[in-house]
């Protein structure tokens, strides 16, 4: 598929989403359209798989009849194969195309059947290894909601129309190398984020920021054993890491918001990540961590900025925080996330996290934690990002990079705050800006007004204050102005104005009107 075809597909999907939207907020109709796309994906993926295993017998999945005793045996065997290989099962009459075609017939009511089918997908996984990954996965698709229409008929008509439109789109799942649907899904998540305001930060990290983090944690590597995001949102950041290497063994994440947790699991499956290769949990990461005792080769995160947390005194003896001597204040959990992630970082791993600039210079407990991280030689780089590049907030942010096995005690400082493309509502990083950041990180290069490698003594001399302007001279010399040239230009303008005023006075005399000059 060409880039132009890909854009047309994305636009078509967004057009369908807008038809569904009605009076709903972006984060509400997002759950419906992404849920229906996911159902279509599950259906087509299973259909292709079953047709492939039946082709030697000259049979097709849709050709199997549940009323035929021989076909019932085949269906039972097919179900076992699907549960083992894909993690779920759908009957031939539960396929997306079958439901969409039924909905296209005038006067046909499909909502009850559709609700039952979505429940059946979950039921098919009960008692299997994939049960947790499909548990209540479609719970946000409330087909009885009055937001879809005031009457059952109105709701049925709208949903039928959406399914028919989606049924007409070829996602090209038979192409082994294609990730067209995955890319389109990411596109839609990004579009929903741009319309969701502050809520967007709960589930989406702008793509170019994700790319910066992903390229940093994969530097010098072609494969990763594992990647972890403790505040994974829709899972986009985890999947972005996978695009930077040939292979990722396993994906791990934790997300507090139930709806976003469902979205992350859908996103994983839809991108072809096998249910055995991802472990996404739903809970509060700081209060109730779900991956205790595990170490990860790569860790990426965009935690909620300066979020509140309990800072309960019992955490002072928690293995994640105890060695620092301090825990992050209850009003700002930024360093609590850092401490949590460092606890899970493997010895040969790299961690990149987006945080507000305040973590670089705030005092108190945060100052103690910051000093500890520097003295342990875990902090590898600090990259200042432009302001207003995140949905829902205009604050300037930075990327902190950590490694447990560094070769030197130096810390790289990069001031990338001025490298961005200005947009209407927010600013954007372009590929050239990302490349410049990554090039500076990989080479640990010195560049005037952009990057500096600071020694431990420099940092100690600044009392462990890591504010970027202390290390990267951001002062740009203002171009000198020749006042004599300016004076000459003003005289020239004045002379031209006098000529113009003279002509205006002449016209006014000819017209016998009062002259304004």
């Amino acid at each position: 598929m060409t880039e132009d075809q890909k854009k047309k597909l994305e636009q078509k999907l967004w057009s369908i989403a807008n038809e569904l939207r009605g009076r709903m907020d972006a984060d509400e109709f997002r759950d419906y359209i992404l849920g229906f796309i996911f159902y279509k994906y599950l259906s087509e993926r299973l259909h292709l798989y079953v047709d492939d295993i039946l082709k030697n017998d000259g049979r097709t999945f849709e050709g199997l009849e549940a009323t035929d005793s021989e076909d019932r045996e085949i269906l039972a065997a097919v179900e076992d194969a699907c549960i083992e290989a894909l993690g779920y099962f759908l009957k031939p009459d539960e396929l997306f195309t079958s439901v969409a075609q039924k909905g296209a017939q005038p006067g046909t009511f499909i909502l009850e059947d559709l609700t039952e089918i979505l429940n059946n997908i979950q039921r098919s996984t009960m008692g299997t290894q994939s049960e947790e990954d499909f548990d209540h996965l479609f719970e946000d698709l409330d087909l009885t909601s009055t937001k879809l229409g005031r009457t059952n008929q109105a709701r049925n008509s709208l949903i039928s129309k959406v399914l028919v439109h989606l049924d007409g789109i070829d996602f090209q799942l038979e192409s082994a190398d294609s990730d067209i649907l995955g890319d389109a899904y990411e596109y839609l998540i990004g579009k929903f984020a741009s319309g969701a305001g502050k809520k967007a930060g709960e589930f989406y990290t702008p793509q170019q920021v994700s790319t910066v983090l992903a390229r940093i944690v994969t530097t010098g590597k072609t494969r990763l054993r594992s990647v972890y995001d403790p505040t994974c949102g829709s899972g986009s950041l985890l999947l972005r890491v996978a695009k930077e290497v040939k292979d990722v063994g396993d994906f791990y994440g934790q997300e507090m918001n139930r709806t976003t947790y469902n979205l992350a699991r859908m996103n994983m499956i839809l991108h072809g990540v096998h249910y055995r290769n991802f472990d996404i949990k739903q809970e509060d990461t700081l209060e109730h961590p779900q991956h205790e005792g595990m170490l990860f080769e790569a860790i990426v995160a965009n935690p909620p900025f300066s979020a509140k947390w309990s800072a309960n005194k019992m955490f002072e003896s928690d293995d994640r925080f105890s060695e620092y001597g301090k825990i992050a204040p209850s009003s700002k959990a930024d360093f609590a996330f850092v401490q949590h992630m460092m606890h899970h970082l493997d010895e040969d791993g790299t961690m990149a996290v987006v945080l507000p600039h305040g973590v670089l210079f705030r005092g108190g407990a945060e100052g103690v934690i910051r000093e500890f991280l520097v003295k342990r030689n875990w902090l590898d780089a600090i990259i200042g990002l432009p302001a207003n590049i995140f949905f829902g907030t205009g604050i300037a942010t930075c990327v902190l990079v950590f490694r447990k096995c560094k070769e030197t005690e130096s810390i790289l400082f990069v001031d990338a705050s001025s490298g961005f493309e200005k947009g209407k509502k927010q600013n954007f990083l372009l590929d050239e800006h990302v490349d410049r950041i990554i090039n500076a990180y990989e080479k640990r290069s010195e560049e005037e007004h952009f990057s500096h490698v600071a020694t431990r003594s420099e940092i100690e001399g600044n009392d462990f204050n890591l504010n970027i302007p202390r290390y990267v001279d951001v002062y740009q010399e203002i171009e000198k102005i020749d006042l004599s040239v300016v004076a000459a230009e003003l005289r020239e303008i004045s002379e031209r104005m006098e000529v113009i005023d003279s002509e205006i006075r002449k016209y006014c005399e000819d017209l016998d009107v009062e002259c304004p000059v």
Side-chain angles (χ1 to χ4, degrees):
M1 179 177 272
T2 65
E3 193 65 28
D4 186 53
Q5 288 172 318
K6 178 182 166 185
K7 285 182 179 179
K8 285 181 179 177
L9 169 62
E10 292 171 345
Q11 289 166 359
K12 193 169 185 180
L13 288 172
W14 185 242
S15 176
I16 295 171
N18 276 326
E19 184 165 350
L20 173 62
R21 179 174 184 173
R23 296 180 181 178
M24 284 187 278
D25 292 333
D27 61 315
E28 292 175 321
F29 80 99
R30 173 198 74 199
D31 301 329
Y32 287 96
I33 189 66
L34 294 180
F36 291 140
I37 291 173
F38 182 64
Y39 166 41
K40 174 178 166 67
Y41 167 80
L42 292 180
S43 173
E44 292 188 2
R45 186 179 177 213
L46 183 136
H47 196 174
L48 287 169
Y49 174 75
V50 176
D51 278 354
D52 185 58
I53 62 178
L54 291 177
K55 67 182 179 183
N56 290 337
D57 298 322
R59 303 296 301 274
T60 64
F61 188 39
E62 287 183 298
L64 296 177
E65 296 287 345
T67 55
D68 184 278
S69 59
E70 185 178 339
D71 282 3
R72 281 201 300 273
E73 290 183 15
I74 296 174
L75 276 170
V78 163
E79 180 174 359
D80 290 341
C82 288
I83 294 296
E84 175 63 24
L86 305 178
Y88 64 95
F89 181 67
L90 285 162
K91 297 173 185 175
D93 62 353
E94 294 176 331
L95 294 175
F96 186 95
T97 295
S98 176
V99 178
Q101 290 173 351
K102 187 177 178 182
Q105 299 171 10
T108 305
F109 195 78
I110 65 167
L111 291 191
E112 288 183 2
D113 289 345
L114 183 55
T115 300
E116 185 66 15
I117 290 168
L118 297 180
N119 289 333
N120 285 344
I121 293 174
Q122 180 190 329
R123 290 192 196 105
S124 73
T125 71
M126 294 179 70
T128 72
Q129 285 185 317
S130 62
E131 180 177 2
E132 186 178 349
D133 297 316
F134 284 84
D135 182 43
H136 292 95
L137 198 51
F138 292 99
E139 67 183 351
D140 293 305
L141 268 71
D142 180 6
L143 301 182
T144 64
S145 172
T146 54
K147 292 175 181 177
L148 295 171
R150 294 183 62 185
T151 65
N152 279 338
Q153 194 56 47
R155 293 191 286 273
N156 186 75
S157 176
L158 177 61
I159 296 303
S160 296
K161 192 183 299 184
V162 170
L163 295 188
V164 169
H165 283 326
L166 284 175
D167 194 43
I169 297 178
D170 181 8
F171 288 150
Q172 300 183 23
L173 297 188
E174 67 280 358
S175 174
D177 298 327
S178 173
D179 195 20
I180 293 163
L181 184 54
D183 289 343
Y185 208 69
E186 287 290 308
Y187 165 81
L188 286 177
I189 291 173
K191 289 287 284 184
F192 288 126
S194 66
K198 283 189 175 181
K199 291 182 180 179
E202 296 174 5
F203 63 87
Y204 189 71
T205 301
Q207 189 177 104
Q208 292 294 62
V209 178
S210 295
T211 300
V212 170
L213 301 183
R215 288 178 65 178
I216 285 173
V217 299
T218 57
T219 296
K221 297 182 179 182
T222 57
R223 287 178 171 80
L224 291 174
R225 296 186 304 277
S226 57
V227 59
Y228 170 61
D229 183 346
T231 56
C232 68
S234 65
S236 301
L237 189 44
L238 288 169
L239 292 163
R240 181 60 51 181
V241 173
K243 287 182 177 290
E244 299 299 329
V245 290
K246 292 179 181 178
D247 178 62
V248 173
D250 295 295
F251 299 81
Y252 297 86
Q254 189 164 336
E255 172 55 40
M256 186 164 61
N257 181 283
R258 180 74 192 185
T259 297
T260 309
Y261 161 68
N262 290 337
L263 182 56
R265 291 186 294 165
M266 288 184 188
N267 208 5
M268 285 286 154
I269 295 169
L270 194 138
H271 276 82
V273 180
H274 196 276
Y275 68 86
R276 292 193 187 96
N277 296 118
F278 73 86
D279 181 19
I280 308 293
K281 302 289 189 183
Q282 194 236 330
E283 254 300 353
D284 184 313
T285 298
L286 297 179
E287 306 289 342
H288 305 288
Q290 297 294 300
H291 297 95
E292 293 184 89
M294 301 188 71
L295 297 175
F296 307 106
E297 186 176 1
I299 299 179
V300 287
N302 174 23
F305 302 146
S306 300
K308 293 179 173 58
W309 75 304
S310 71
N312 194 304
K313 283 191 72 65
M314 70 177 185
F315 285 129
E316 292 177 1
S317 59
D318 188 305
D319 288 345
R320 296 174 295 167
F321 312 110
S322 58
E323 64 179 322
Y324 294 81
K326 291 287 184 179
I327 58 174
S330 60
S331 60
K332 296 177 178 65
D334 304 310
F335 269 119
F337 282 111
V338 171
Q339 291 169 308
H340 170 87
M341 289 184 278
M342 287 304 303
H343 179 71
H344 286 287
L345 184 64
D346 212 341
E347 291 299 316
D348 63 344
T350 304
M351 166 182 141
V353 55
V354 181
L355 296 168
H357 268 276
V359 301
L360 302 178
F361 53 80
R362 290 193 297 244
E366 291 183 296
V368 173
I369 296 169
R370 186 170 60 245
E371 182 175 338
F372 181 91
L373 290 166
V374 173
K375 286 184 173 179
R376 283 297 297 266
N377 200 31
W378 288 343
L379 183 56
D380 190 40
I382 297 171
I383 301 163
L385 298 176
N388 197 32
I389 59 172
F390 287 91
F391 297 110
T393 179
I395 67 170
T397 56
C398 57
V399 175
L400 269 61
V401 183
F402 296 89
R403 291 169 57 217
K404 286 185 175 176
C405 292
K406 288 173 57 183
E407 296 174 359
T408 69
E409 290 189 342
S410 64
I411 297 176
L412 172 70
F413 288 81
V414 176
D415 179 15
S417 60
S418 60
F420 62 89
E421 181 79 5
K422 194 167 182 61
K424 287 183 179 179
K425 292 185 178 179
Q426 67 181 103
N427 299 325
F428 301 91
L429 294 178
L430 300 179
D431 289 345
E432 63 198 64
H433 303 132
V434 173
D435 289 341
R436 190 182 182 199
I437 291 170
I438 299 303
N439 185 62
Y441 175 73
E442 292 178 345
K443 294 182 178 178
R444 296 186 79 80
S445 56
E446 294 264 357
E447 183 179 338
E448 191 175 13
H449 305 307
F450 184 70
S451 60
H452 172 64
V453 179
T455 63
R456 173 70 64 81
S457 60
E458 278 184 81
I459 293 163
E460 290 176 350
N462 280 308
D463 199 23
F464 297 94
N465 183 317
L466 303 177
N467 203 15
I468 296 173
R470 287 177 176 252
Y471 303 92
V472 180
D473 183 8
V474 296
Y475 173 75
Q476 299 280 0
E477 187 175 343
I478 300 172
E479 184 180 351
K480 293 181 179 179
I481 299 172
D482 190 332
L483 293 178
S484 62
V485 173
V486 174
E489 290 174 349
L490 288 173
R491 283 194 298 272
E492 185 181 344
I493 292 170
S494 179
E495 289 169 1
R496 289 204 304 268
M497 287 295 295
E498 182 57 40
V499 172
I500 293 169
D501 290 346
S502 176
E503 291 180 2
I504 291 173
R505 284 192 289 271
K506 183 176 181 300
Y507 288 135
C508 289
E509 289 175 5
D510 292 342
L511 295 170
D512 194 25
V513 296
E514 184 180 352
C515 181
V517 295

